[in-house]
Amino acid sequence: MSRSLTGVVGSILLVVACADADAKPGFRQSAFGKTADGAAVDLYTLTNSNGMVARITNFGGIVVALETPDRDGKTADVVLGFDALDAYLKSNPYFGCIVGRYGNRIAGGRFTLDGKAYTLARNNGANHLHGGVKGFDKVVWNAKPRSDANGVALELNYLSKDGEEGYPGNLAVTVTYTLTDDNELRIDYLATTDKPTVVNLTHHGYFNLDGAGAGDILDHVLMIKASRFTPVDKGLIPTSELRDVKDTPMDFTKPAAIGARIDAQDEQIAFGPGYDHNWALDRESDDLSLAARLVSPKTGRVMEVLTTEPGVQFYSGNFLDGTLTGKNGKMYGKRAGLCLETQHFPDSPNQPSFPSTVLRPDGKYKSTTVYKFSVLKP
Ligand code: BGC
């Protein structure tokens, strides 16, 4: 039996086995299409005991949909994305994916490690962005569903070969998405290497707590637990400075509407078309702790971001321009969604003062981020 036919028959059997699969806690697998080189890709539907749903594909580890209730119990899909695999293959501004080997930019697409110079793919002007031309967002991962005491989970595995996009070392990566019964989407990252390399993995979900395609995110209220950020140059490369957010539009230590100061031009901050910066989180330890809190006053949805990472890239969807049609035919205009990408700082391989992103064969890369959903109490 062909791979796709097996997939289709498998999904029919699974659907028959639990007739109302989406409403019941558990797991469902269905075919999602094929990549240009013929690899079959699936869509995995995870449902928790509250009826919250996450749909994840093993192409790029993309969270295609995330359905959560508002304050009246009305469910909406709160992440931007496409209905079909073809659209993800054509032109995807990193909607919902796993980013790797290195989240955000590496200046000039080069770095030196242990005295050896490495040249990476340059896919963002002169710089390297989000792992290169074919980053972890564009590869097919091996997927293993499982369920444990915390909820339903999807384990994704990928072996990034020595030299891929210019990086040294075979990197074995495991990313596990867990949809918990506390309405959390938890992401656990693990990686090991056989040669010294650099690693910085993140998730690139574009969130809109009013629902994907329901307008822009300017009225969302954001708190970022960070009293410093990393200013950037015109190419969005950090200047090495850690600057106080105080008295700048970057101050989200107290909750503020995203639109309130987004257009405040400040040459010093090289502000450009909106927020697209790394905040250095105020942390007491490397344990999982609160990094950001996002609230939609309109629908009462709340999303908290917890992480073990030292930074978060708040990107306000500035480069969306209405040319992409998303799920259910909805158009995604400028700032239709925002990303809160937990990470080590951009360009760390070239910035000795930043926390290190070096992974060695005797070490283990370990990172956890949780997106936790709830609603404002009346
Ligand atoms: C970056 C942006 C980039 C976007 C790509 C963000 O993580 O910070 O500069 O344009 O990803 O969609």
Side-chain angles (χ1 to χ4, degrees), residues 93-94 104-105 129-130 204 206 236 276 313 315 319 341:
Y94 300 93
N104 217 281
R105 292 174 177 79
L129 174 69
H130 292 335
H204 208 292
Y206 284 65
L236 301 182
D276 191 359
Q313 183 85 11
Y315 168 57
F319 299 120
E341 303 153 62

Side-chain angles (χ1 to χ4, degrees), residues 48-325:
N48 76 3
S49 59
N50 308 313
M52 182 175 163
V53 174
R55 298 181 206 275
I56 304 171
T57 171
N58 59 323
F59 176 75
I62 294 171
V63 176
V64 173
L66 196 59
E67 295 158 21
T68 70
D70 68 5
R71 61 155 81 83
D72 301 319
K74 210 171 138 236
T75 293
D77 179 359
V78 296
V79 294
L80 272 50
F82 301 115
D83 286 318
L85 179 66
D86 277 358
Y88 285 104
L89 298 177
K90 251 184 248 147
S91 169
N92 176 17
Y94 300 93
F95 284 158
C97 63
I98 297 298
V99 173
R101 213 179 266 206
Y102 198 96
N104 217 281
R105 292 174 177 79
I106 297 181
R110 66 171 88 90
F111 66 96
T112 301
L113 180 57
D114 298 339
K116 209 169 160 210
Y118 294 96
T119 303
L120 303 171
R122 294 187 180 107
N123 60 325
N124 187 247
N127 301 322
H128 176 89
L129 174 69
H130 292 335
V133 177
K134 192 173 179 188
F136 293 0
D137 58 298
K138 294 180 190 70
V139 301
V140 178
W141 296 64
N142 284 323
K144 266 189 252 163
R146 57 163 205 254
S147 81
D148 56 30
N150 297 324
V152 253
L154 184 69
E155 181 186 306
L156 299 171
N157 290 287
Y158 177 64
L159 177 68
S160 169
K161 295 271 174 60
D162 188 6
E164 194 175 283
E165 301 296 317
Y167 290 101
N170 288 297
L171 187 80
V173 189
T174 301
V175 174
T176 305
Y177 283 108
T178 306
L179 183 64
T180 75
D181 290 333
D182 288 332
N183 286 5
E184 299 162 329
L185 183 68
R186 177 185 169 110
I187 313 174
D188 290 292
Y189 305 85
L190 280 178
T192 53
T193 183
D194 59 2
K195 278 188 195 161
T197 190
V198 293
V199 192
N200 186 30
L201 306 180
T202 190
H203 172 69
H204 208 292
Y206 284 65
F207 298 95
N208 184 324
L209 297 183
D210 297 338
D216 63 44
I217 44 72
L218 295 179
D219 68 342
H220 284 36
V221 174
L222 178 66
M223 184 282 294
I224 305 179
K225 212 173 154 229
S227 41
R228 292 171 308 163
F229 73 105
T230 50
V232 286
D233 67 15
K234 291 253 151 60
L236 301 182
I237 300 291
T239 58
S240 299
E241 187 195 351
L242 280 178
R243 192 180 296 174
D244 207 314
V245 296
K246 208 165 179 292
D247 300 326
T248 77
M250 315 301 273
D251 190 353
F252 286 96
T253 51
K254 291 195 187 69
I258 290 168
R261 297 161 299 169
I262 196 167
D263 291 321
Q265 289 300 317
D266 184 333
E267 265 304 304
Q268 282 195 314
I269 296 175
F271 218 36
Y275 294 106
D276 191 359
H277 292 77
N278 170 70
W279 272 254
L281 295 167
D282 296 337
R283 305 175 57 77
E284 272 134 43
S285 72
D286 290 341
D287 294 344
L288 188 68
S289 55
L290 186 70
R293 188 167 193 265
L294 184 69
V295 175
S296 158
K298 210 184 285 165
T299 59
R301 286 194 186 85
V302 177
M303 180 178 83
E304 285 178 330
V305 184
L306 295 92
T307 190
T308 55
E309 287 295 309
V312 65
Q313 183 85 11
F314 164 37
Y315 168 57
S316 52
N318 313 316
F319 299 120
L320 297 174
D321 59 4
T323 52
L324 289 177
T325 304

